[in-house]
Amino acid sequence: DDIHDKSNKRRGIRSCYFAFGKKTAGLAVVDLLAYGRDFIRFASIPLEAQHRIIAISDTTTHFMVRGQESDNNPADISNYEDISKVYRHKTGALYALAGEAGAVAGGASEEDIRIIRSICLNLGFVYQIGDDFKDKEEDKKLGKKTLLSVVGETQAVKCRQELEKQIGDELAGLSKKANVGLFGDVVYRILGSSAKYVPASPQKRSL
């Protein structure tokens, strides 16, 4: 993402792209993807779970590439459906990978895995909306297509509120075996970290 956006910083520190250049940053991407596979292969989980997580990771990579390509071509983004697809492919897919992989490794039921994936896809979308508000002035200067520029700030806030409600409803649908309290705490921590950038953000719901 730093390479495509030519970002100098990432979470307040120098990005790999800025510190070491485009070529080294590109190599780092390949190296980290390979390292991720090694991490899965040597994890203390059943072989079937390892294979499934690797397959999920590969699918996520495809989604990210498609999302980034769409982001690189703002002329193709003209409505909510277009920007929603970009956000779910770029950011939502990564969140879904983290949630789904953890659920698979933990031996969750297929229904809980489905719900967790859906929650995380929406969570990535919500996070991206917060990021849009945080970077809105810079995005305007760059002419970048975001949810704010496509539907306006008021609708973007409403969209976040609807997604947060859906996340809360889906959390309530998880089985008792899914450790809803722990997972829910992580979810609401992420929601809270991005809420400070969004005007009139909804208050934290209790589980």
Side-chain angles (χ1 to χ4, degrees), residues 7-205:
S7 301
N8 292 340
K9 287 188 175 181
R10 174 64 56 176
R11 296 180 183 84
I13 62 174
R14 292 192 304 167
S15 68
C16 181
Y17 162 80
F18 180 72
F20 303 106
K22 183 177 179 180
K23 291 182 179 180
T24 299
L27 291 172
V29 170
V30 178
D31 191 43
L32 287 168
L33 285 171
Y35 182 79
R37 279 177 168 269
D38 286 342
F39 184 83
I40 296 167
R41 286 192 301 111
F42 293 115
S44 299
I45 56 177
L47 187 62
E48 181 180 352
Q50 291 182 20
H51 290 167
R52 184 169 177 178
I53 292 171
I54 288 174
I56 296 168
S57 177
D58 290 343
T59 300
T60 301
T61 301
H62 292 312
F63 280 136
M64 288 177 60
V65 169
R66 293 171 188 170
Q68 186 62 59
E69 178 62 17
S70 297
D71 199 29
N72 291 343
N73 295 280
D76 295 336
I77 302 172
S78 60
N79 54 47
Y80 174 80
E81 286 71 25
D82 294 336
I83 197 71
S84 172
K85 186 178 292 185
V86 172
Y87 285 3
R88 292 186 188 282
H89 281 177
K90 275 190 63 180
T91 311
L94 274 176
Y95 276 79
L97 168 61
E100 191 173 359
V104 170
S109 69
E110 290 301 320
E111 178 63 10
D112 281 341
I113 291 172
R114 183 193 66 77
I115 294 174
I116 287 171
R117 176 175 176 79
S118 179
I119 289 171
C120 291
L121 279 170
N122 287 330
L123 190 60
F125 198 158
V126 167
Y127 172 85
Q128 190 63 59
I129 294 172
D131 206 48
D132 287 350
F133 276 100
K134 179 172 71 73
D135 298 334
K136 66 178 181 179
E137 296 303 324
E138 183 179 352
D139 289 339
K140 284 180 182 178
K141 293 177 183 178
L142 297 173
K144 185 176 180 180
K145 285 286 186 71
T146 67
L147 185 67
L148 275 63
S149 66
V150 172
V151 303
E153 292 190 19
T154 300
Q155 281 299 113
V157 171
K158 183 179 179 181
C159 177
R160 179 192 159 94
Q161 292 172 341
E162 291 174 350
L163 287 167
E164 186 169 84
K165 180 182 184 303
Q166 185 176 340
I167 288 170
D169 291 342
E170 288 182 316
L171 278 170
L174 287 169
S175 72
K176 293 181 180 179
K177 294 182 179 180
N179 199 342
V180 181
L182 178 61
F183 180 61
D185 184 59
V186 172
V187 168
Y188 281 115
R189 282 176 183 271
I190 295 171
L191 290 174
S193 69
S194 65
K196 58 185 177 182
Y197 302 112
V198 183
S201 296
Q203 297 296 314
K204 175 179 176 179
R205 292 177 48 165

